[in-house]
Amino acid sequence: MDSARPSVDAVYDQVTTRLATLDGCELVERMRTLLGARLVAYLAGASSTSTVAGYIDGAVPISGYARDRLRAAYTVAALQHQLGATPGLIQAWFQGRNPLLNDRAPARVIVDDPSYNRHTIVSAAVALVIE
């Protein structure tokens, strides 16, 4: 591991602290930057990318369930990004099958159950960057 890279625990703490301060619009905007509007729409259970734009400008309310999914996704996407992964790599990781998640795509795991063993999802996310 590169000694100049911050520790995973320190970055995780920064990400979760920042997450606690984000309102729904900011959360969705940051997610769109990291994952693109289509993947954010999928994670939120939205019918289209125009709904994502509506979340960002405040025209469309974000349901509690969508917010839970996006918060779970933000935790791992922001962690990966802070550890050096590019948005393209993060997007591919979210959509690809992952052996640490029983060969399921991380986005699918979050959609099915945003509270699914968060430690396992975070560990799988870190594995992308550390390997």
Side-chain angles (χ1 to χ4, degrees):
M1 186 161 124
D2 182 2
S3 62
R5 182 181 292 174
S7 79
V8 172
D9 290 338
V11 173
Y12 180 81
D13 289 345
Q14 291 171 356
V15 166
T16 56
T17 298
R18 179 66 181 134
L19 176 60
T21 67
L22 295 176
D23 68 19
C25 298
E26 289 175 304
L27 173 64
V28 176
E29 187 169 17
R30 287 176 184 265
M31 290 301 299
R32 184 178 65 178
T33 299
L34 290 173
L35 299 179
R38 289 178 64 179
L39 190 49
V40 172
Y42 173 74
L43 287 163
S47 58
S48 70
T49 58
S50 62
T51 302
V52 172
Y55 291 154
I56 292 169
D57 67 22
V60 177
I62 304 169
S63 72
Y65 188 64
R67 188 182 308 264
D68 289 346
R69 290 172 166 188
L70 293 174
R71 289 173 63 81
Y74 175 84
T75 301
V76 295
L79 177 64
Q80 290 172 323
H81 191 254
Q82 292 296 319
L83 291 171
T86 64
L89 182 59
I90 297 167
Q91 291 168 21
W93 179 85
F94 263 86
Q95 296 175 69
R97 296 170 77 172
N98 191 301
L100 297 174
L101 301 173
N102 296 321
D103 283 331
R104 295 167 51 203
R108 183 63 187 200
V109 170
I110 291 169
V111 165
D112 289 347
D113 182 7
S115 64
Y116 173 87
N117 193 344
R118 199 167 297 235
H119 176 71
T120 302
I121 295 173
V122 169
S123 295
V126 170
L128 168 78
V129 183
I130 300 301
E131 292 180 344

